[in-house]
Amino acid sequence: MRQIFFATVVFFAFGTALATEPSLVSDKELSLGGIALDDTEAVVLRKLGEPRRTTDTGEFLNIRMDYHGLTVWLGEGRRVGEVLSTLKQHCTPAGICPGMSFAKAKEKYGPPLVADREDGIFMEYPSSLSACWLQIAVSKGIVKSVRAECQP
């Protein structure tokens, strides 16, 4: 009985020691192509101009603004609640962009939280100051998209 208890304690201690906490990012990293979470619609329009298409989604983030390789969702107060980049022209302030090796993102940010979500598996970096995060879609070691979003 003592051996089983000891083995269980060693197993959990060893497993905990191997578990890696995800790295955190600052809120300033929750920006893509110069558009940050909580920016106003006026800021988006001043920086990017008129979108190719604007859609009323009928959801919590009710306005979707589509630009070439960048999608911006606005919510309450017409403020940015989510930003998605799919082109290398729209990067984080640290220079993480679609099309680059995910190894570079890991080198810059550290180990991610691996999130298995209904629409895929993502590498995520929670914010150190808010209920927001950076979400990176990766395929074959290459960043496919980068998203900044918050929990509503």
Side-chain angles (χ1 to χ4, degrees):
M1 180 70 161
R2 223 183 234 175
Q3 291 172 333
I4 293 172
F5 176 74
F6 179 74
T8 303
V9 169
V10 168
F11 174 78
F12 282 113
F14 186 68
T16 303
L18 288 179
T20 307
E21 288 293 316
S23 298
L24 302 177
V25 296
S26 71
D27 276 358
K28 74 176 183 107
E29 280 302 305
L30 301 175
S31 170
L32 295 165
I35 304 302
L37 295 177
D38 207 38
D39 278 351
T40 63
E41 180 179 25
V43 168
V44 174
L45 292 171
R46 187 171 61 249
K47 289 181 177 179
L48 301 177
E50 288 296 321
R52 299 165 112 185
R53 180 178 54 233
T54 301
T55 309
D56 186 340
T57 66
E59 297 176 11
F60 177 73
L61 297 175
N62 59 324
I63 304 295
R64 175 183 167 144
M65 302 168 76
D66 292 308
Y67 293 90
H68 184 66
L70 191 72
T71 305
V72 178
W73 285 268
L74 305 175
E76 189 176 335
R78 297 185 81 90
R79 292 189 166 281
V80 175
E82 186 174 334
V83 186
L84 171 68
S85 171
T86 57
L87 286 179
K88 64 181 177 181
Q89 293 89 327
H90 307 296
C91 307
T92 68
I96 304 306
C97 317
M100 72 176 6
S101 163
F102 179 66
K104 289 184 181 180
K106 241 176 128 172
E107 190 178 293
K108 195 66 107 171
Y109 295 136
L113 169 69
V114 179
D116 188 359
R117 302 203 179 272
E118 61 195 31
D119 51 348
I121 296 175
F122 299 93
M123 305 301 123
E124 295 184 347
Y125 293 94
S127 166
S128 58
L129 301 172
S130 64
C132 304
W133 61 94
L134 203 57
Q135 182 185 76
I136 301 175
V138 180
S139 177
K140 298 179 183 173
I142 302 298
V143 174
K144 293 300 177 190
S145 67
V146 183
R147 180 185 306 261
E149 62 184 326
C150 294
Q151 182 68 35

